[in-house]
Structures are given as C-alpha cells and as structure tokens.
Amino acid sequence: MSSTIATDGRPAVHREECRIRIAAAGDIHYGERDDDRERAHATFAALEDRVDVILLAGDLTTHGEPYQAQIVADAVRDVGVPVLTVLGNHDWHVDRADEFKAVLQEAGVIVLDKEHSHETLELCDTQVGIAGVKGFMGGFPGTHLPDFGEPSLRGVYRESVEEAEALDAGLRAIAMCPFRIVLMHYAPTTQTLVGEREAIWTFLGTDRLAPPILEHNPDMVLHGHAHAGTFEGRLGEVPVYNVSVPVLGEDFWVFELAGERRRVPSEVH
C-alpha cells in the first residue's frame, strides 16, 4: 500500500531521536467511480498508527464539486493525525473552491493556499513547518509565458508570481522550525516532469516557484500534477518528490524526516 524511501543509505541506528513519518500523495481524483467512497475510507484507514501527518498535493477530486470533497472529508475525519492539503487544477474546475475548502475544513483538514500559506505542527516534541500553495503553470527556461500581451495571458503570469510570493512568505514564517516541508500541486522543476511530453511542461509548473525553495532550503518539496513524470528530482540540495498517485503506483508514499529537535538540517529517508 505504501513505501518508505531512504536517500542516503545510512543505517537507522545512526539517526537522531526525532523521526517524523509523513504520508504523501497527490492526484487521487475521487468523485466519479462507484466505489470511490469505499476506496477512500480503506486507503486512509490503512495509514492508522503508521504515520504522524498526511500531506495531500492537490487534485483530490475529478472536478472540484463540493460533494466530491465530501468523499475525502468523510474518509479523513477520524484518521487521528493532522491532514493538510493544497488544491489542484481539478479541484478548481467548477470554480467552487470556497465551498470545496469549507467541506474539507469542517472535517478538520488544513487547506493551504495563497491566503494561508503555512502551518506549524507540534509533532515528536518539536515543530514541523509546512509551507503550502497551489503553485501554477508558467514554464521554464526557454518556454516561459511572459508578462506581455493580452490581459488573460498576463493574468497567468501574475498568478504564477503571486503563488511564488506566497510560497516565499510561507517559508519565511516557518524559518525557525526544525523540520520544514513545501507542499504544492504544480512542479517547481523539470526534473520531476521527465516522462511527460516536453510540449506540455509549461502547463505543468514553473521555475518561478524555485527561488524561494533555493533561498530557504527546506527539507523536502512535495508536488503532484505530472501523472507521467518522475518521482525524484532536486533543486540545489533540496529533494523534490512528485507524489502523484499515477507516478507512485501506490496509494501513498511514506517518508521519514529524522534529525534533532532544534533547527539543524534534517534527513529524508
């Protein structure tokens, strides 16, 4: 059902005492299959007593209808650990995001976005900071959508910049947390897009999201959206993971952050 990743090969016995287990997934797309409600309950119930926090990288639903959000809300209501999410493009499709968020929040889900771009959790007797935004499209070197032309096109540029600014603000707010994670839907690097057709990379993310990550150097970045992309990449020294379920081939991937309870670099495994 899920896996644990080790990135440095060091035996667990050499690690510090604080170990935080994170279940992550994106692009779960509930809403149109007859068994979605049962599947959702089984998927989240399987995490019981196995993780300390659940992070969802957007596209929880197929079209963003509030009744589809209810499937997720009902499945996580009694899960027993914090659940945080960002919304994805599918969750915005019918333009009922405020209602959608309200359904999730009523069940205790913490929704991160431009207006609320960070959350601090008390886990393992320490603070875990999550900086989260949807992110947006916009392209990468050689394919950037510019701040030029029709108002609609310039609106795309403006939204990508606003999402990057909100991410920067969120990372600044959690700067002193011993553990820091970025959660978003769109990709901040092309490394985790490899496998998708290059012709659509502009619509899968933008490197305008990269400067805040490079400046603040969080422990890890989680995103989704690129169903045919690559699981792991990097921005500088920061590991970036595409946790889209079609990429994982599993319901969740379980990461573990290990390190001291004070502000020192942490390890992902």
Side-chain angles (χ1 to χ4, degrees), residues 72-266:
V72 180
D74 291 343
V76 306
R77 190 181 306 277
D78 300 315
V79 75
V81 299
V83 180
L84 291 82
T85 192
V86 295
L87 302 191
N89 56 306
H90 280 253
D91 304 320
W92 271 90
H93 177 69
V94 296
D95 200 17
R96 300 177 68 182
D98 287 343
E99 297 169 74
F100 189 98
K101 288 190 290 185
V103 170
L104 296 174
Q105 290 166 336
E106 188 276 331
V109 178
I110 299 168
V111 182
L112 299 175
D113 55 25
K114 285 188 296 185
E115 285 68 44
H116 177 60
S117 64
H118 75 278
E119 187 76 17
T120 301
L121 305 175
E122 295 289 336
L123 299 172
C124 190
D125 296 322
T126 192
Q127 291 186 321
V128 180
I130 315 293
V133 294
K134 171 175 60 66
F136 203 44
M137 66 180 68
F140 300 88
T143 64
H144 282 132
L145 295 177
D147 185 21
F148 183 84
E150 298 92 334
S152 57
L153 182 59
R154 299 187 72 184
V156 173
Y157 173 87
R158 183 169 59 252
E159 183 164 353
S160 68
V161 170
E162 289 174 355
E163 292 285 330
E165 290 173 345
L167 176 59
D168 180 69
L171 280 165
R172 290 183 186 279
I174 64 171
M176 298 308 296
C177 293
F179 298 91
R180 297 171 301 143
I181 302 168
V182 168
L183 179 66
M184 63 177 69
H185 184 60
Y186 287 84
T189 173
T190 59
Q191 290 186 19
T192 48
L193 299 184
V194 174
E196 296 278 9
R197 292 178 292 117
E198 289 191 36
I200 67 169
W201 283 7
T202 296
F203 304 99
L204 299 178
T206 178
D207 65 346
R208 294 189 178 106
L209 296 162
I213 295 167
L214 292 167
E215 177 180 353
H216 298 287
N217 199 41
D219 294 302
M220 61 194 303
V221 176
L222 305 172
H223 76 84
H225 194 41
H227 292 196
T230 297
F231 174 59
E232 184 174 1
R234 298 189 82 80
L235 277 171
E237 297 301 313
V238 181
V240 179
Y241 299 102
N242 177 357
V243 294
S244 171
V245 164
V247 169
L248 299 180
E250 306 189 22
D251 294 326
F252 280 96
W253 200 274
V254 178
F255 299 87
E256 193 172 85
L257 284 180
E260 298 181 13
R261 291 178 172 86
R262 57 188 176 84
R263 175 66 271 186
V264 296
S266 306

